[in-house]
Amino acid sequence: MTRGRGSAHSRFHRRLTNWSPDHNHWNDKLYPSWEEGDPRWQNCWKGGRVVAYLTSDSPALIGSNVTFHVALKFPRCQREDNDSNIVYDRKCVNGQYYQTTGGSSAMVSINTTNVTLGNQIMEVSVYRRNYRSYQPVTTANVVYVVTDKIPFYVNISQKNDRNTTDRIFIKDIPIIFSVQIHDPSHYLNRSEISYHWDFGDGSGAFVSNNSVSTHTYTLPGNFSLNMFVQAIIPTPCGPVTPPSPFPTVNVTTQLPFSVSPAFESSTGQAPADGCHIPRYGPYNTSLSIAGLHL
């Protein structure tokens, strides 16, 4: 995979011959790069074009690992055998093969400690071995996000609620709020995590270490729910970049992730004694409470 951050640590399934991401410049003679539209792409693979599908598990909280997965789709009737050779399938008629294991897929994780906040691009280049060099087969790229705000989503539910997306609930019936933190690399496993709630109905704010909270609205009306997650993350002693008090990037992800600067906090400080750093994730949404059963 190419065009990652040279200062970020990586974990590769296999190292490229005569190249190390931490010590060498890219060897264009050994691993040539072709621009889009180069006519050589048309004949680089017998039987048609190979397509690479590149995905990531971003957004990634800065300091955590972000993982990329690439899988190759071969031309019709081509597949990979048990020895990672690409062969023609005699049983193939009109089908196509999507490879997800073996030599036609790969996964890499990079640490984001020294990656700039915001949208970044990871590009993968796939090569096949020739006599003295490697020939490009296909390329792909994906946008990934590094953020200083804890990524999460909140699932809100109520017993017998027929429409779970309209944000309309019934008074005097408990509402369940379940917070799901997006942390696929388990970066926050050793952190002290707390959840700060204000349901907007005058009942007051409270703090919990449980990711699931229950609240009952006793009056009908429209209410603004404000909540933020705080994580106290152990870190090696030494200078670190302090987090900013509010989100610095707009995070786009398949998760129903909501970021809103609902709570102010004095987070622009270096780690306190004990060598840790705080990270926050704010959340805000509006709820409609009805007085009658719908």
Side-chain angles (χ1 to χ4, degrees):
M1 291 190 180
T2 65
R3 301 187 186 180
R5 298 280 174 175
S7 57
H9 298 290
S10 304
R11 185 178 73 250
F12 292 87
H13 277 210
R14 296 192 181 110
R15 295 286 184 182
L16 293 179
T17 303
N18 297 326
W19 184 78
S20 168
D22 296 324
H23 300 93
N24 301 119
H25 295 291
W26 188 261
N27 189 331
D28 287 314
K29 292 183 178 180
L30 190 62
Y31 299 99
S33 177
W34 297 345
E35 297 294 334
E36 185 68 28
D38 191 308
R40 288 175 292 182
W41 286 116
Q42 301 300 322
N43 300 312
C44 67
W45 190 268
K46 185 178 180 180
R49 290 292 301 271
V50 177
V51 179
Y53 292 94
L54 180 62
T55 59
S56 82
D57 61 4
S58 101
L61 180 64
I62 190 166
S64 69
N65 288 351
V66 58
T67 298
F68 302 88
H69 180 266
V70 60
L72 301 183
K73 175 189 173 183
F74 295 107
R76 187 172 66 89
C77 296
Q78 295 184 23
R79 65 176 179 87
E80 183 181 17
D81 65 13
N82 294 333
D83 296 322
S84 297
N85 298 313
I86 308 304
V87 298
Y88 281 91
D89 191 347
R90 297 178 181 179
K91 299 180 181 179
C92 173
V93 179
N94 293 316
Q96 296 212 2
Y97 287 87
Y98 292 81
Q99 283 299 131
T100 57
T101 59
S104 59
S105 69
M107 185 171 62
V108 62
S109 293
I110 65 171
N111 186 267
T112 61
T113 298
N114 296 317
V115 177
T116 304
L117 294 175
N119 293 349
Q120 307 293 336
I121 296 179
M122 172 62 78
E123 179 178 314
V124 61
S125 297
V126 180
Y127 293 84
R128 69 174 182 178
R129 187 190 302 271
N130 281 341
Y131 178 62
R132 292 183 177 179
S133 63
Y134 293 80
Q135 178 177 314
V137 172
T138 188
T139 63
N141 62 72
V142 68
V143 175
Y144 68 100
V145 178
V146 178
T147 175
D148 59 356
K149 296 303 164 197
I150 300 172
F152 67 94
Y153 70 95
V154 180
N155 182 56
I156 305 177
S157 61
Q158 187 179 53
K159 186 177 180 180
N160 298 326
D161 185 14
R162 298 178 181 178
N163 188 340
T164 59
T165 62
D166 60 4
R167 287 292 193 267
I168 300 176
F169 302 94
I170 307 302
K171 77 179 188 71
D172 297 326
I173 298 178
I175 302 174
I176 300 173
F177 303 87
S178 178
V179 180
Q180 302 291 328
I181 294 178
H182 181 68
D183 184 31
S185 69
H186 309 294
Y187 173 63
L188 298 177
N189 273 11
R190 297 177 59 246
S191 302
E192 181 180 326
I193 299 176
S194 58
Y195 304 84
H196 302 244
W197 297 90
D198 186 340
F199 294 100
D201 60 352
S203 59
F206 75 97
V207 181
S208 172
N209 60 3
N210 195 330
S211 62
V212 178
S213 180
T214 301
H215 185 73
T216 301
Y217 288 88
T218 59
L219 295 174
N222 296 319
F223 301 92
S224 179
L225 166 66
N226 291 283
M227 187 273 290
F228 70 89
V229 179
Q230 174 182 280
I232 305 300
I233 306 171
T235 185
C237 294
V240 298
T241 302
S244 62
F246 297 118
T248 57
V249 295
N250 294 322
V251 177
T252 302
T253 174
Q254 294 178 348
L255 297 175
F257 172 54
S258 175
V259 172
S260 176
F263 291 82
E264 294 187 5
S265 56
S266 56
T267 61
Q269 303 293 329
D273 292 340
C275 298
H276 62 265
I277 189 168
R279 296 291 181 193
Y280 298 85
Y283 174 86
N284 172 270
T285 192
S286 296
L287 303 177
S288 295
I289 306 300
L292 299 175
H293 289 276
L294 299 180

